[in-house]
Amino acid sequence: AKADELLTSDAEAMAKGVRTALGTTEVSQREFDALVDMAFGLGSIGTSNTPKLMKALGAGDYDAASKELRTDTATNG
């Protein structure tokens, strides 16, 4: 039960961080979930540690965002 509580708390914190990082950028639920998963692996996402990804998402350039996810060494490509 305690592990579930911790996981839920961590997931909520990561989701909040992703929402903050995205600002007004809209993504699908599937994309949002992938970003939350990525944030778990990196500790967070945002302009400081994933600047090219955030710039591409902010510009609505999903092709560049996709390429950035595949080449991001922090997420093992």
Side-chain angles (χ1 to χ4, degrees), residues 7 10-12 14 35-44:
L7 178 60
D10 287 349
E12 289 171 352
M14 290 298 132
L35 291 170
V36 172
D37 185 50
M38 181 178 174
F40 263 107
L42 297 175
S44 68

Side-chain angles (χ1 to χ4, degrees), residues 26-34 62:
E26 293 184 23
V27 295
S28 70
Q29 184 64 52
R30 185 172 156 190
E31 293 162 336
F32 180 79
D33 293 346
Y62 296 104

